[in-house]
Amino acid sequence: MSAPQTLVQAALNRLSARFGSSLADVAASLAVLAQDAPERLKREWELFREEVELEADRLENGESVQSEMDVPAAPAAGADPQEQIDQIRAQVARLARRLEEQA
């Protein structure tokens, strides 16, 4: 093989190695997400049910719109970072709903 052919072959070998590695990384990430999905869905469902029960209690007791549920709580120290992100997202969603109701 001449030098240009060797360079082209080497480039093709490296590209195929990199793409193969990237695909393996993506597959591993998807496998982790698939394993975590049921637990995350369970947590989200439990959080939703709790919010609905609190809202039903608030409506039955005739409390004002401002309730404990609407006050942002600090994420638990030492909690899983993804869980903290989920809690913050839930707080943002509650605040957004409250702002929409007031508008």
Side-chain angles (χ1 to χ4, degrees), residues 18-56:
R18 285 183 180 228
F19 286 133
S21 173
S22 295
L23 290 176
D25 291 344
V26 168
S29 296
L30 289 175
V32 169
L33 288 174
Q35 288 176 340
D36 292 344
E39 181 61 33
R40 186 171 178 189
L41 286 172
K42 182 180 175 185
R43 275 187 292 155
E44 289 296 326
W45 177 248
E46 289 172 358
L47 178 63
F48 176 74
R49 286 184 52 203
E50 182 180 322
E51 289 175 355
V52 169
E53 289 174 8
L54 289 172
E55 181 68 9

Side-chain angles (χ1 to χ4, degrees), residues 5-95:
Q5 289 176 331
T6 304
L7 287 174
V8 169
Q9 184 63 40
L12 289 173
N13 288 345
R14 294 313 310 151
L15 286 173
S16 65
R18 285 183 180 228
F19 286 133
S21 173
S22 295
L23 290 176
D25 291 344
V26 168
S29 296
L30 289 175
V32 169
L33 288 174
Q35 288 176 340
D36 292 344
E39 181 61 33
R40 186 171 178 189
L41 286 172
K42 182 180 175 185
R43 275 187 292 155
E44 289 296 326
W45 177 248
E46 289 172 358
L47 178 63
F48 176 74
R49 286 184 52 203
E50 182 180 322
E51 289 175 355
V52 169
E53 289 174 8
L54 289 172
E55 181 68 9
D57 289 344
R58 184 190 69 78
L59 291 172
E60 285 178 359
N61 295 331
E63 295 176 11
S64 67
V65 174
Q66 184 70 23
S67 68
E68 285 183 29
M69 183 178 68
D70 295 328
V71 177
D80 177 42
Q82 184 60 48
E83 190 172 325
Q84 289 178 348
I85 291 169
D86 293 342
Q87 290 174 358
I88 292 169
R89 285 182 178 157
Q91 289 173 358
V92 169
R94 286 191 296 269
L95 290 172

